Amino acid sequence: MSNILALDVGEKRIGLAIASSIVMLPRPLTTIAYEGAIEKLKLIIENEAITELVVGLPMNRNGDATQQTKFTMDFIDKLKALSLDIATVDEALSSKRAKQELQERGKPYEKGDIDALAATYILDDYLKEGATA
């Protein structure tokens, strides 16, 4: 069985979500620090049988690239060393949606919880689009 891993890339943390390529139900996995992320991702990819990566790509409201877009694209260039298929999905306010959902639950949460849930939204959007890289 293989799995798909989604990333919500930030300058401090990266939120991760996972889904089986068979069941295709995304769920938050964890959050890792940006520093040393490639090495951490190598372990996760091996341990979780990841065969595909999906990265949320931040764009501004009119679809133009931003500084965060460039930052994320630079990170994607580093991910290419992992020799996996990499797809991008417009992350369109995924962090704001995640924060709102966590607030509505009425339970304590940390910033990392927002990032992991945002990655889940990114993966869900990707799977709904037909999961083609």
Side-chain angles (χ1 to χ4, degrees):
M1 180 167 67
S2 62
N3 294 308
I4 304 168
L5 184 69
L7 290 75
D8 179 37
V9 179
E11 294 179 18
K12 293 182 182 180
R13 289 174 310 279
I14 301 172
L16 306 176
I18 192 169
S20 160
S21 59
I22 296 169
V23 180
M24 295 192 169
L25 291 174
R27 63 177 170 81
L29 182 62
T30 190
T31 305
I32 60 173
Y34 182 85
E35 189 70 31
I38 298 297
E39 290 304 314
K40 293 172 194 163
L41 285 170
K42 284 180 184 177
L43 292 173
I44 292 168
I45 288 166
E46 183 178 327
N47 291 337
E48 299 291 341
I50 303 300
T51 57
E52 187 174 0
L53 297 175
V54 178
V55 181
L57 195 60
M59 307 295 276
N60 68 18
R61 290 182 190 248
N62 64 5
D64 292 336
T66 66
Q67 276 299 109
Q68 192 62 32
T69 309
K70 181 181 178 344
F71 179 84
T72 302
M73 291 303 295
D74 289 344
F75 186 72
I76 290 171
D77 285 340
K78 295 174 188 174
L79 289 173
K80 290 178 182 175
L82 301 175
S83 300
L84 293 173
D85 289 335
I86 302 171
T88 58
V89 173
D90 181 1
E91 68 170 25
L93 306 174
S94 59
S95 293
K96 288 184 181 184
R97 286 173 46 202
K99 183 176 182 179
Q100 181 179 359
E101 180 178 330
L102 291 170
Q103 286 174 337
E104 288 172 1
R105 290 181 187 176
K107 296 179 182 177
Y109 62 89
E110 299 177 2
K111 288 185 178 184
D113 297 326
I114 296 171
D115 299 330
L117 186 54
T120 304
Y121 291 146
I122 291 165
L123 186 50
D124 188 53
D125 289 346
Y126 174 72
L127 293 171
K128 286 178 181 174
E129 290 175 7
T132 56

